[in-house]
Amino acid sequence: MEAIVKNLIEFLSIELAVMLTAAMPIIELRGAIPVGISLGLSPMHATIISIIGSMIPVPFILFTIRPIFNYLKETRTFRKLVNHLTDKSINNNGHRIQKYGAWALVVIVAIPLPGTGVWSGSLAAALLDIRFKWAFPAIFVGNLIAAAIIVNLSKGFMNIVA
């Protein structure tokens, strides 16, 4: 019985590590899927755990970032950082998102490059006042596309290395 519990805790700690990696900004599922595969999870399992992990911050960002940013803009310490993040998010993708709406969010989240992903898409959606009922599904679909791209790249890389 002790061995079963030990194996279960070890397995769950791998899943939790992958999920938390996917929830981190910048890394997101683009880094979590290869991490999960390298830790012994199947590509499908790593992908599912990574998708779940990367979507955890989305509702929090969509609902809370504007009040947090408004509060931080009033402080001397964080005003410059908040203005930089806001300007970067809106200037980089704002005009595309306003023109194409949820479809632009799908594309921005789906492209597996630095500066794109669920954190950037959620931040842009929140700052541009895109409603949750449009933003969340668009971010989710973009995340699914990014996951498919990353898992296929990871499988290809593993085939070359192995």
Side-chain angles (χ1 to χ4, degrees), residues 100-113:
Y100 298 108
W103 291 108
L105 280 178
V106 170
V107 172
I108 288 167
V109 174
I111 299 170
L113 294 172

Side-chain angles (χ1 to χ4, degrees), residues 88-99 108 124 128:
K88 185 177 178 185
S89 177
I90 292 175
N91 290 338
N92 285 352
N93 301 310
H95 64 285
R96 289 184 201 103
I97 295 172
Q98 286 179 328
K99 183 175 181 179
I108 288 167
L128 294 170

Side-chain angles (χ1 to χ4, degrees), residues 111-129:
I111 299 170
L113 294 172
T116 64
V118 296
W119 280 78
S120 298
S122 299
L123 180 60
L127 295 176
L128 294 170
D129 285 328

